[in-house]
Amino acid sequence: MSDLQQDVDCPWFSSYDKGVPHEITVPKGGLQNVLDEAAETYGQRDAIVFQNTRISYKQLKELAEILAAELRRRGVQKGDRVSIMLPNLPQTFIAFWGVMKAGAVAVMTNPLYMESELTHQIKDSGAKHLITLDIFWPKIAALREQLGLDVCYVTRVRDALKFPLSWLQPFSARRQGTWVSVPYDGHRVVAWKDLFKRSDRLSVEVVDAHETIALLQYTGGTTGVSKGAMLTHANLLANLTQLMAIVQQPPEKEHVFLALLPLFHVFGLTITLLLPARMAARVVPMPRYAPADMLEAFKKYKFTAFIGAPSVYISLLQQKNLAQYDLHHIVFCISGSAPMPVEWLKKFEEVTGTPITEGFGLTEASPVTHANPVFGKQKPGSIGVPVPSTLARIVDTEDGERVLAPNEIGELVVKGPQVMAGYWQRPEETARTIRDGWLYTGDIAYMDEEGYFYIVDRKKDLIIVGGYNVYPREIDEVLHTHPKIREAVTVGVSHRSRGETVKAYIVPKEGANLTVPEVVAFCRQKLASFKVPRLIEFRDELPKTMVGKVLRRILREEELHKSDSQQDKELHDAEEVLKPEQAEQAPVREEQTAPSESSETKKDA
């Protein structure tokens, strides 16, 4: 890294927290060594706590190695892909570490995938073995021939419980209508509990961590076909080491993590499965988000580490009984996967006394590349500074070769040991995305004089109104400051004379009486006229991914499917609603430099 830094200015080093190194050394060996070290030094500590079940680090290692031996006995060889299609349960932790111990490649699969998404991922990855939950069995059973799976290992929630809950759970499931009959045959459909009847154990050594894939993590598919990012053992170990360097929480200090982010997502996997293991911390997995349950969990477990998507933080802060709970035991908070409106950042710190550390990451970088200093200078609206051993710069959006000066807007590119080996079986797309070691993120951003980076928007989200660039997230930020708006997102929709115009989708706060003229008047006070949304649609909710990222793609697709007459009617109705003085004025050209009110993000990761 040192020789690379001769060609890249790194002003962010002066903003690092005291004790954070400029560079890290990637540990040798495989990712499973992280679990081994935790089990050896802190074996009696709780690794997982789930309802009435506690699994220590020593037990977690044993269970993972027994599973690895059983997977090998049933045909899983080194380098084989194994799909893990589970919600946040103890079995998910055991399954992941078991796949690592077997020398195989984990393919974390979203249980809520529709038929086409599931078929694409399983067939593209070449996974022949699948670990899943009984409630997802009907979906798998209907697609078995298309998926080409050899063996399915099916677990139940009761497998994660101790007596008497393990005995009561089936009765509860039948009463709720969620009990699923699974045709176990011991060969092609195997019961989870049967995998632990033998005592044989296996732990495969990783010889070359830089070349050996640990995780085939599929991108969110928010902008097109989902691709498998090949994340090696060294990639993931590097990102873990970088995270340890910036949080500065040694394993000697006991921490309690809430695992709410889906573990099948790279952000949830790295931050709430791998990082806690590196810290020998206790993890409390939560399969689904319910605000009331989460507040009670905070009271019971005294979480010291809280990692969530912005939607979770916002929802939590909107609970009417929040004042009854003490959240001051939180040591550090990390928000990711989507932009966090600045107003909510401030409110959370007022309530808890702990600032939310925002950053940036993407699947292709394991995922974290940037973060605001955890204990030092945080800049609202910024994704922070590059993590140790990571270089970042802004390049022009035309060919990506010209490096831009501070405060100039362009595409963010990064380089570091956490950057993927490439896309699975897609050499051409890999070559377009990684050039000379630099990962082209597709995010429009700028860097200030102190080395803090700001995401302006996604390259593909850019709206061009009459030839002028409009960045949706700048508008989103303004909308989120309106006292009657709970959520908002803007997209570009086609316009016969202007090319595109701005449309805002708004979720008002409960009980709020909000009108289109009111929203437009508010925006006109804070935005140039050509940035003001001309079309506004009120909704009860916005389409989102499992980690809370709004799917602008879905909204754009909805617009594309509208007929010309429907679009004309919407534009006509909008002009009728707005007063003459609110009609859209001709834009005045602005220099493409840093906007005064930017937005922050944590993309795809």
Side-chain angles (χ1 to χ4, degrees):
M1 179 60 70
S2 297
D3 58 334
L4 295 175
Q5 290 172 356
Q6 294 176 8
D7 300 320
V8 180
D9 185 23
C10 303
W12 51 81
F13 285 155
S14 61
S15 297
Y16 274 11
D17 284 329
K18 184 179 180 181
V20 175
H22 294 178
E23 300 180 27
I24 55 100
T25 301
V26 181
K28 295 181 180 180
L31 192 60
Q32 56 267 39
N33 291 351
V34 172
L35 176 60
D36 292 345
E37 291 170 8
E40 182 178 348
T41 310
Y42 303 99
Q44 300 310 311
R45 275 191 192 175
D46 287 336
I48 306 167
V49 177
F50 181 75
Q51 296 193 34
N52 69 339
T53 296
R54 290 177 179 270
I55 300 174
S56 70
Y57 272 100
K58 180 182 178 182
Q59 292 170 324
L60 179 57
K61 178 185 176 182
E62 291 174 355
L63 290 169
E65 291 180 352
I66 291 172
L67 176 59
E70 192 66 19
L71 290 175
R72 177 59 55 85
R73 194 175 73 84
R74 294 177 180 273
V76 175
Q77 302 298 315
K78 289 178 64 175
D80 284 356
R81 279 75 63 205
V82 178
S83 172
I84 300 174
M85 184 176 165
L86 294 169
N88 291 10
L89 292 169
Q91 294 96 309
T92 315
F93 291 74
I94 298 167
F96 179 83
W97 289 117
V99 170
M100 294 300 103
K101 290 282 187 178
V105 179
V107 181
M108 305 304 287
T109 304
N110 186 341
L112 299 184
Y113 269 162
M114 301 304 288
E115 177 181 331
S116 60
E117 297 168 310
L118 182 60
T119 303
H120 165 70
Q121 187 180 109
I122 299 298
K123 295 189 74 172
D124 186 74
S125 68
K128 298 297 182 183
H129 294 251
L130 168 77
I131 303 173
T132 191
L133 189 65
D134 58 347
I135 60 174
F136 307 127
W137 175 250
K139 183 188 299 185
I140 298 298
L143 298 172
R144 280 180 75 183
E145 289 188 11
Q146 297 178 48
L147 297 176
L149 294 166
D150 290 341
V151 188
C152 296
Y153 309 92
V154 185
T155 186
R156 298 184 185 275
V157 172
R158 69 179 298 181
D159 295 331
L161 304 172
K162 301 292 185 183
F163 183 84
L165 294 184
S166 59
W167 181 78
L168 294 171
Q169 194 274 332
F171 294 99
S172 175
R174 287 188 174 93
R175 187 172 62 253
Q176 296 172 6
T178 58
W179 180 263
V180 175
S181 178
V182 179
Y184 295 115
D185 60 16
H187 299 287
R188 294 201 63 197
V189 184
V190 181
W192 174 265
K193 61 182 180 181
D194 290 344
L195 297 174
F196 301 92
K197 290 183 176 180
R198 297 169 181 262
S199 58
D200 298 343
R201 293 166 64 169
L202 174 67
S203 184
V204 174
E205 181 183 356
V206 174
V207 177
D208 190 344
H210 293 276
E211 298 295 330
T212 307
I213 303 171
L215 179 64
L216 198 57
Q217 186 70 35
Y218 279 77
T219 58
T222 55
T223 57
V225 176
S226 182
K227 302 178 287 292
M230 297 184 288
L231 302 180
T232 67
H233 286 263
N235 288 152
L236 293 164
L237 284 169
N239 211 220
L240 273 183
T241 307
Q242 290 163 331
L243 290 169
M244 287 294 289
I246 62 176
V247 301
Q248 299 190 73
Q249 300 294 316
E252 292 79 13
K253 184 176 181 179
E254 295 190 46
H255 278 278
V256 185
F257 278 69
L258 168 66
L260 177 64
L261 284 169
L263 296 173
F264 55 75
H265 188 276
V266 69
F267 184 40
L269 180 73
T270 300
I271 304 291
T272 58
L273 187 152
L274 298 178
L275 182 61
R278 179 65 181 79
M279 295 171 62
R282 179 185 308 167
V283 184
V284 181
M286 187 171 284
R288 63 183 181 87
Y289 172 64
D293 292 345
M294 196 168 85
L295 284 173
E296 285 301 313
F298 265 100
K299 182 179 180 180
K300 181 177 181 180
Y301 297 109
K302 307 293 183 186
F303 298 115
T304 61
F306 181 27
I307 293 91
S311 57
V312 171
Y313 286 101
I314 293 171
S315 173
L316 199 64
L317 290 169
Q318 291 177 333
Q319 298 308 301
K320 295 178 180 179
N321 61 339
L322 180 63
Q324 300 174 17
Y325 296 86
D326 180 12
L327 303 182
H328 287 82
H329 44 76
I330 301 173
V331 175
F332 64 92
C333 296
I334 300 174
S335 175
S337 302
M340 182 73 169
V342 176
E343 293 301 311
W344 291 108
L345 285 172
K346 295 176 181 176
K347 187 172 182 179
F348 186 86
E349 185 169 1
E350 290 173 3
V351 170
T352 66
T354 304
I356 295 175
T357 298
E358 283 210 292
F360 174 85
L362 60 165
T363 302
E364 292 87 342
S366 306
V368 183
T369 64
H370 291 67
N372 274 275
V374 176
F375 306 104
K377 185 177 183 179
Q378 299 200 7
K379 294 190 178 184
S382 168
I383 60 171
V385 298
V387 297
S389 285
T390 302
L391 301 181
R393 61 190 185 191
I394 306 298
V395 298
D396 69 277
T397 56
E398 285 73 32
D399 56 24
E401 294 183 358
R402 182 170 59 90
V403 179
L404 304 184
N407 296 312
E408 286 191 296
I409 293 177
E411 182 172 359
L412 171 64
V413 298
V414 298
K415 178 183 284 190
Q418 72 272 48
V419 172
M420 68 173 181
Y423 291 121
W424 177 253
Q425 296 180 336
R426 284 180 167 81
E428 292 183 359
E429 293 199 44
T430 298
R432 284 195 294 268
T433 304
I434 302 177
R435 306 181 216 168
D436 192 27
W438 289 94
L439 173 64
Y440 282 68
T441 67
D443 286 280
I444 304 299
Y446 69 94
M447 179 187 78
D448 67 17
E449 292 84 353
E450 294 184 291
Y452 283 73
F453 286 74
Y454 298 77
I455 298 295
V456 176
D457 236 301
R458 284 291 292 159
K459 206 172 180 179
K460 294 182 180 180
D461 290 338
L462 181 69
I463 304 171
I464 301 178
V465 179
Y468 299 87
N469 290 352
V470 177
Y471 300 105
R473 280 184 180 139
E474 182 185 0
I475 307 172
D476 297 350
E477 277 289 344
V478 169
L479 291 170
H480 274 108
T481 63
H482 194 291
K484 294 182 182 179
I485 292 177
R486 179 162 66 89
E487 288 186 298
V489 67
T490 47
V491 301
V493 299
S494 62
H495 189 282
R496 290 187 178 181
S497 61
R498 289 187 166 274
E500 286 185 297
T501 193
V502 180
K503 179 171 183 176
Y505 296 83
I506 294 172
V507 179
K509 288 184 178 178
E510 187 176 353
N513 181 21
L514 190 62
T515 65
V516 170
E518 185 179 355
V519 173
V520 172
F522 181 80
C523 289
R524 286 207 173 277
Q525 296 173 8
K526 299 174 180 291
L527 294 166
S529 59
F530 66 96
K531 298 178 183 179
V532 175
R534 194 170 179 200
L535 296 169
I536 294 173
E537 182 177 325
F538 295 112
R539 292 199 170 193
D540 294 329
E541 59 182 2
L542 300 174
K544 296 177 182 176
T545 65
M546 284 291 291
V547 291
K549 182 192 301 181
V550 176
L551 288 165
R552 295 179 198 260
R553 171 176 58 83
I554 298 298
L555 297 172
R556 281 195 295 264
E557 287 175 356
E558 288 180 11
E559 295 298 327
L560 288 173
H561 285 96
K562 290 181 179 178
S563 64
D564 289 343
S565 59
Q566 285 178 300
Q567 291 178 341
D568 289 344
K569 184 178 185 304
E570 279 196 22
L571 286 168
H572 176 268
D573 291 346
E575 290 167 355
E576 289 295 313
V577 169
L578 300 179
K579 298 176 182 178
E581 63 268 25
Q582 292 175 324
E584 190 171 23
Q585 303 171 12
V588 178
R589 179 169 293 280
E590 297 183 347
E591 293 298 323
Q592 291 305 303
T593 55
S596 57
E597 294 185 43
S598 182
S599 61
E600 71 291 323
T601 189
K602 180 100 176 182
K603 179 206 76 139
D604 201 53

